[in-house]
Amino acid sequence: MESPGFVRLRFAGALVVVLALAGVAGAAARAGSVLVVSGHGWGHGVGMSQWGAYGYARHGWSYRRILAHYYPGTKLVQMRDPRVRVLLAQRAKVATVGCAARMKVGDGRARWFRLPAGRYGIGPKLVLPLRRHHAGLSLGRVAVFACGRAPLELDGRAYHGELVVRSSGRSLSVVDNLPLEAYVRDVVPSEMPSRWSFAALEAQAVAARSYALAELKPTADYDLLPDTRDQVYGGVDAESPRTDRAVHATAREVLTWDGRVARTYYSSSSGGRTEPVQDAWAGAAPVPYLRSVPDPYDVYSPHHDWGPLVLSPVQVAARLGAGSAISSVRVHRYPSSRVSEVVARLSSGRTIRWSGERVARALRLRSTWFSIGQLSLSTSRTRVLYGRSVRLVARASGIDGAVLQRRRGEGWQTLRRVHGRVSLDVSPLRDTDLRLQAGRATTGVTVAVVPRLLVRPAGPKLLRGTLRPRPDSPVRVWRWMRGGWRVVARPRVARNGSFATQLRLRPGGYRITVAADGSLAATQRRLHVTRRMLASLRR
């Protein structure tokens, strides 16, 4: 239940009590803000850019020249064809191994058993359900499957080489042990489209082969992972005639530096310049052949430029675990233009720092070559009395082409172009939407305009008032009666905004209200009539 509260002031020689305009004098400032993230390239950017290699190949470069550009100072040599081990499954509860031809299985202790063609499900106990073995064929902790006349299958996908299944007692790991050349045949079409220029496919074959050799780990159970943590390895189904030709044309060729196989990192798109290895990963030492080089033909990549990604400061803070919204942000860069550090000031007043790699990972960005701009628009108040002005403060940090606009009908009218910080006063005549826009990024606020309502008793039985501007919504006069507000009059408003109503005034509280009409906000006035006032009005 509402009880009347009043502020006293003098009016027309009588003591009248009127409540100040609700929600105007004490309106809090409001602001809208967005962070705009855009960048270049996809991946870590170290070594060869695959899209850049494609561009160089299209411009007539040979694979040798492409490799010499991305890995300067390396030497192209021929090496032996060792075996590599690729982890295909880990912590699996069951694995289904099969072959279209007869195969054999070893128990890791030099014992081999022949198996008919087909598929075999195997669990952590490593027991094969064979008819000639009453309790099943127990293989201990390691099982090695081989098939001489056809590829092996793991869970329906075909692979060259042998499949080594190990049991931890509770789960399985499966490793593909195969010749390096067979591995490269399945990597190249998984990493690069087979329709690309042949020199690019050849460069990819050499880079994939060199990387695999550099990653051999003789003391571990496997050498490589089958995804982007190392190289994407798609198995036999990934192979294509064109990529097979590229692998064959570069057979056993690898890059070396100072007599050792070079670790030939590569990624999809550099954004226009590759990144030195020491900038890409914390603690990495500089490597002479993994330095930054220009990559002009990376422009072929659809990810050469990306964004803008528009996020609220609250979203960014949540993804980075900041605890409160971000008020402002700036980035520090390596000489290669990648972001080394992001420094953010929070709404709590605290300053926090993140590495560029952490920010890219948290925001799921394509690379660490990014920029963070900010658009913010604030108003001194969100409700303003008709005829008064409101102060706008617009900021465009790290963003070009920002404009401050207000809605006009179905469109938008530009008030100012904004670079840096701009402040100006506006006097809206109706409820007004305002926005700060740059490309697809926009943030906005709405200012509600409250009609100017004046009301006074003109006699003991007459109440007069004016409204500026005249709203479309009705005026109501309320009186505090028996513990609640009740409508006692519905005056009509003339075109000039004036109104009058015959009303026998009694001591007590009154309220005059005007509802919102879609273009103006609601407003109200209150007055308190005293016996002394009524006596004054009767004279």
Side-chain angles (χ1 to χ4, degrees):
M1 180 182 295
E2 184 182 356
S3 61
F6 304 104
V7 176
R8 293 183 178 272
L9 53 89
R10 297 273 180 185
F11 184 74
L15 182 61
V16 183
V17 184
V18 183
L19 184 70
L21 179 63
V24 174
R30 293 291 184 267
S33 180
V34 293
L35 296 174
V36 184
V37 186
S38 57
H40 312 280
W42 192 355
H44 51 67
V46 178
M48 184 177 73
S49 156
Q50 292 167 307
W51 277 100
Y54 166 77
Y56 277 121
R58 287 195 59 177
H59 284 75
W61 283 33
S62 69
Y63 76 93
R64 292 182 176 85
R65 188 178 178 190
I66 293 171
L67 293 169
H69 173 72
Y70 288 111
Y71 309 104
T74 56
K75 184 178 179 181
L76 193 63
V77 301
Q78 282 204 333
M79 300 285 284
R80 57 189 176 84
D81 184 19
R83 299 183 75 86
V84 296
R85 297 164 302 160
V86 187
L87 180 66
L88 301 180
Q90 194 172 28
R91 292 188 291 275
K93 295 300 182 183
V94 65
T96 301
V97 179
C99 185
R102 290 175 60 86
M103 56 182 172
K104 60 181 182 179
V105 61
D107 62 0
R109 297 189 297 272
R111 294 192 305 169
W112 289 89
F113 306 90
R114 296 190 179 278
L115 299 175
R119 294 181 177 177
Y120 298 84
I122 188 168
K125 293 183 179 180
L126 292 193
V127 175
L128 289 177
L130 299 180
R131 292 180 181 178
R132 62 179 180 270
H133 295 270
H134 180 72
L137 177 60
S138 179
L139 299 168
R141 291 288 183 179
V142 180
V144 181
F145 290 85
C147 189
R149 296 187 177 181
L152 282 166
E153 291 184 5
L154 174 65
D155 298 332
R157 174 167 283 188
Y159 297 95
H160 294 296
E162 299 173 347
L163 295 181
V164 181
V165 183
R166 287 185 173 83
S167 173
S168 67
R170 295 186 177 182
S171 63
L172 301 172
S173 67
V174 184
V175 172
D176 188 9
N177 185 328
L178 75 164
L180 174 61
E181 291 301 304
Y183 167 75
V184 175
R185 282 180 63 191
D186 297 349
V187 167
V188 174
S190 302
E191 285 282 0
M192 184 175 282
S194 60
R195 68 181 183 277
W196 277 16
S197 302
F198 196 70
L201 298 177
E202 291 176 307
Q204 179 66 68
V206 175
R209 188 181 294 112
S210 303
Y211 179 86
L213 272 179
E215 288 294 314
L216 293 183
K217 304 176 182 70
T219 60
D221 290 337
Y222 64 90
D223 304 307
L224 298 156
L225 295 166
D227 52 40
T228 54
R229 288 173 292 178
D230 281 314
Q231 302 184 114
V232 180
Y233 173 59
V236 174
D237 292 342
E239 295 174 3
S240 79
R242 289 193 83 241
T243 54
D244 281 353
R245 281 175 48 214
V247 173
H248 179 72
T250 62
R252 300 171 63 181
E253 289 186 341
V254 297
L255 292 175
T256 62
W257 172 267
D258 197 21
R260 303 182 64 180
V261 178
R263 186 167 270 103
T264 48
Y265 294 112
Y266 56 88
S267 61
S268 174
S269 169
S270 72
R273 172 167 283 277
T274 66
E275 182 173 21
V277 67
Q278 68 271 17
D279 292 355
W281 297 295
V287 177
Y289 61 85
L290 294 177
R291 61 177 185 260
S292 179
V293 298
D295 196 19
Y297 294 125
D298 186 76
V299 293
Y300 285 100
S301 169
H303 309 291
H304 179 76
D305 298 316
W306 48 262
L309 176 66
V310 182
L311 299 167
S312 75
V314 174
Q315 285 177 308
V316 174
R319 292 187 189 182
L320 287 161
S324 59
I326 293 174
S327 297
S328 62
V329 63
R330 67 182 186 273
V331 299
H332 299 296
R333 300 184 183 278
Y334 292 115
S336 63
S337 296
R338 266 69 175 186
V339 174
S340 60
E341 185 180 56
V342 175
V343 182
R345 184 169 180 81
L346 308 182
S347 58
S348 63
R350 187 163 63 104
T351 297
I352 192 167
R353 298 171 182 270
W354 301 289
S355 69
E357 186 178 0
R358 180 180 175 185
V359 172
R361 185 170 57 251
L363 301 185
R364 296 186 285 277
L365 306 181
R366 292 183 175 93
S367 74
T368 56
W369 190 351
F370 61 84
S371 61
I372 303 179
Q374 187 169 16
L375 294 178
S376 64
L377 179 62
S378 62
T379 66
S380 55
R381 62 189 69 224
T382 56
R383 291 167 62 87
V384 62
L385 189 63
Y386 178 79
R388 300 272 180 90
S389 63
V390 61
R391 171 61 59 91
L392 300 178
V393 177
R395 293 183 179 88
S397 174
I399 301 176
D400 295 327
V403 290
L404 176 62
Q405 299 176 318
R406 66 180 170 191
R407 188 184 293 278
R408 275 292 180 89
E410 297 299 319
W412 292 87
Q413 176 192 18
T414 296
L415 301 177
R416 289 283 297 274
R417 297 194 176 277
V418 179
H419 182 76
R421 182 182 184 275
V422 169
S423 63
L424 71 159
D425 295 328
V426 296
S427 299
L429 302 179
R430 299 284 180 175
D431 291 355
T432 302
D433 294 328
L434 298 147
R435 74 178 184 183
L436 183 60
Q437 183 184 39
R440 297 201 303 254
T442 183
T443 186
V445 295
T446 298
V447 176
V449 176
V450 181
R452 187 182 296 271
L453 172 60
L454 300 175
V455 63
R456 64 182 179 85
K461 297 182 179 181
L462 182 63
L463 198 65
R464 291 187 181 277
T466 57
L467 273 167
R468 296 288 187 276
R470 178 182 181 272
D472 294 332
S473 55
V475 175
R476 297 287 184 264
V477 180
W478 307 67
R479 183 182 171 197
W480 183 261
M481 301 169 61
R482 294 187 294 275
W485 290 104
R486 300 179 185 277
V487 176
V488 293
R490 294 179 171 84
R492 296 182 63 180
V493 181
R495 288 188 176 182
N496 63 3
S498 63
F499 64 88
T501 183
Q502 294 289 332
L503 178 67
R504 184 177 179 182
L505 294 174
R506 299 176 181 276
Y510 290 83
R511 183 171 68 178
I512 299 85
T513 63
V514 184
D517 66 0
S519 61
L520 293 167
T523 188
Q524 66 176 356
R525 286 283 188 178
R526 295 184 189 177
L527 60 86
H528 187 72
V529 177
T530 64
R531 294 182 183 277
R532 181 180 175 185
M533 180 195 305
L534 290 174
S536 175
L537 292 171
R538 292 192 185 102
R539 295 192 191 108

